[in-house]
Amino acid sequence: MDGFFKFVLRGNVIGLAVGVVIGAAFNTVVTAFVSAFLSPLVAWATSNVGDYSKLAFHLGNSTFGYGAFINSTIAFVLTAGAIYFLVVLPVNKISEELNPHHDLSRSKRACPECLTQVPAMARRCSACTAYIEPIADEDSDKLIEAAPGEISLTTTASLTLKPGTVKAE
């Protein structure tokens, strides 16, 4: 029982619970906004009179309520847009300011012995342990433009086999 209380009182679980409750309340507000304001505007724009969410068409004995579906779609788009612009963008901006993105491909160079990519300021290769001179200049032409782990060969090699030169044993 002690482990259960430790689990529940952790910051992550409580934060998640608060987020779910706030999200449900926010969804209720957005759905009410769509029903009260946007649905009548869409109904007016499409020349429908009355409650737009009650629009439906009949096919035999079946009734298809497409107005309620359109209401739900509008509520979803508004909720997703609000979460994106009010939560995701500000958090990404703050995160980028606290941990700026570093271009990892520009800070690498090839080891002259084994061609493994190593950081520009390294004094030894982590793969072959060869001593290398650090590169302090960020604009050096010795730095690699490719993605880390990708090595491109500068010369093309061709292999030609002449008939009769290879024997199978």
Side-chain angles (χ1 to χ4, degrees), residues 11-23:
N12 294 345
V13 174
I14 293 174
L16 179 64
V18 169
V20 168
V21 170
I22 295 292

Side-chain angles (χ1 to χ4, degrees), residues 62-129:
S62 299
T63 302
F64 296 90
Y66 67 91
F69 173 73
I70 291 174
N71 267 358
S72 297
T73 304
I74 293 170
F76 171 76
V77 169
L78 283 178
T79 303
I83 288 173
Y84 179 75
F85 289 110
L86 298 177
V87 177
V88 174
L89 281 181
V91 168
N92 285 348
K93 190 170 186 174
I94 291 170
S95 175
E96 180 64 27
E97 287 180 12
L98 294 177
N99 295 324
H101 172 73
H102 298 288
D103 188 7
L104 296 177
S105 63
R106 281 299 287 168
S107 63
K108 299 279 185 177
R109 53 128 174 225
C111 171
E113 297 293 324
C114 67
L115 299 180
T116 302
Q117 290 189 354
V118 294
M121 295 299 293
R123 297 180 188 278
R124 290 186 87 170
C125 175
S126 61
C128 69
T129 68

